Amino acid sequence: MNSREAVRSQWAAGHDSLLNVQSMAGHSVQIIYRSLRQMLVYEGDDFTDTFMVPFQIAYNDVCGNTVTHDLILDGSRHLVAQENKALFADLYADYLLNQSIDRQFRAFKRGFQLVTEESPLRWLFRPDEVELLVCGRQGELHFSEMEETTRYDGGFSSESETVKHLWSVLHSLSQDEKRLFLQFTTGSDRIPVGGLSKLKLVIARNGPDSERLPTAHTCFNVLLLPDYLSCEKLREKLLKAIQNAKGFGMM
């Protein structure tokens, strides 16, 4: 395989993600970044033939319909070339980060200003500090902090066998799985100001052993947990719940 074929092969792996922006989460963002960077550093004279990408983005709307957006006038008719690849990357990033969410951001901005209009927030905090207060911070998750301040309800206590099984499972999770659990129970996968001990998680018994999955009230940080008879079953049900949950939260 020559160098051009190698580039074409690598590009093809990320090409669909570059053209389809319906997912902004996880590996898709990394693939988009790598694809754009690969395009920007490529210096070959055969740029257009190698990449074959138009000035256009395609995505699926909420109904599942494919929608296309031209980054320039008649973008579908213009292929990105060596001399305008930087422009394509700039327009792509601007659409992804600004234009595509402009309507939603303006609605959020109106609501945020409505709440904070007479608040000293803007004078007391820097923008990054406001983000920390609202969204929390990213970092390594140590659930032992959260375990110390967790409360129990519905017949559970820290000495309940199911509760002990739960903490055993939680401590054994990978960092990605721990973030999924936080997202599932609190609506956010970030660490609040002051650490995980400030979450005040509540674990409530939700009936006897059953085939139901755990559920949660994210507004109150409450995990509703059936009284599973074994640690293995609890682990299976919990992972299935957190890996397939859909909802909303502060990202």
Side-chain angles (χ1 to χ4, degrees):
M1 179 181 292
N2 59 39
S3 59
R4 176 177 171 179
E5 290 174 338
V7 170
R8 185 185 293 276
S9 176
Q10 294 171 9
W11 169 257
H15 185 251
D16 289 342
S17 291
L18 184 62
L19 292 180
N20 193 324
V21 297
Q22 67 182 35
S23 173
M24 282 288 289
H27 68 281
S28 295
V29 173
Q30 298 174 11
I31 293 175
I32 290 171
Y33 168 78
R34 287 197 299 267
S35 299
L36 287 174
R37 180 170 177 79
Q38 185 182 41
M39 173 185 289
L40 290 173
V41 301
Y42 188 78
E43 298 296 338
D45 296 332
D46 55 354
F47 181 94
T48 301
D49 291 335
T50 299
F51 291 95
M52 296 293 291
V53 60
F55 273 85
Q56 187 181 71
I57 288 178
Y59 62 93
N60 292 339
D61 62 18
V62 294
C63 297
N65 302 313
T66 300
V67 180
T68 57
H69 174 80
D70 287 346
L71 297 174
I72 61 174
L73 184 64
D74 294 327
S76 61
R77 301 182 181 180
H78 298 276
L79 293 179
V80 181
Q82 189 69 260
E83 61 270 17
N84 58 22
K85 62 183 181 181
L87 173 64
F88 172 79
D90 288 343
L91 293 174
Y92 191 99
D94 180 61
Y95 181 80
L96 204 65
L97 300 175
N98 298 310
Q99 295 183 43
S100 66
I101 58 169
D102 179 66
R103 180 171 59 85
Q104 295 90 332
F105 178 77
R106 282 189 280 110
F108 170 79
K109 182 179 178 181
R110 285 196 303 271
F112 187 83
Q113 290 177 332
L114 182 65
V115 173
T116 62
E117 185 175 11
E118 299 181 3
S119 168
L121 193 68
R122 68 182 66 183
W123 295 287
L124 293 177
F125 300 100
R126 299 192 306 269
D128 58 309
E129 292 174 328
V130 175
E131 180 184 8
L132 180 61
L133 286 171
V134 174
C135 301
R137 64 177 174 85
Q138 294 179 322
E140 189 169 354
L141 302 174
H142 300 286
F143 277 3
S144 56
E145 302 174 24
M146 187 168 62
E147 183 178 5
E148 292 176 359
T149 58
T150 293
R151 295 187 295 109
Y152 304 94
D153 197 8
F156 275 161
S157 72
S158 60
E159 297 302 316
S160 299
E161 197 67 20
T162 300
V163 169
K164 292 180 179 179
H165 288 162
L166 175 65
W167 286 114
S168 175
V169 169
L170 291 178
H171 290 310
S172 71
L173 297 180
S174 67
Q175 286 294 310
D176 287 341
E177 290 169 336
K178 286 180 178 179
R179 280 188 282 272
L180 286 176
F181 176 79
L182 274 189
Q183 181 74 45
F184 178 75
T185 52
T186 70
S188 173
D189 64 355
R190 298 197 177 192
I191 303 170
V193 176
L196 288 174
S197 62
K198 301 298 182 182
L199 272 179
K200 307 302 182 186
L201 179 69
V202 176
I203 299 174
R205 186 177 186 271
N206 191 25
D209 178 58
S210 70
E211 296 305 313
R212 290 181 299 167
L213 298 178
T215 53
H217 297 312
T218 55
C219 294
F220 305 101
N221 300 342
V222 176
L223 174 68
L224 300 173
L225 188 69
D227 199 354
Y228 298 119
L229 292 180
S230 70
C231 187
E232 292 74 18
K233 184 174 183 179
L234 188 153
R235 181 182 182 85
E236 176 195 347
K237 298 296 185 182
L238 182 67
L239 287 176
K240 183 176 292 186
I242 65 176
Q243 290 171 349
N244 294 280
K246 298 294 182 182
F248 65 92
M250 300 300 294
M251 304 302 291

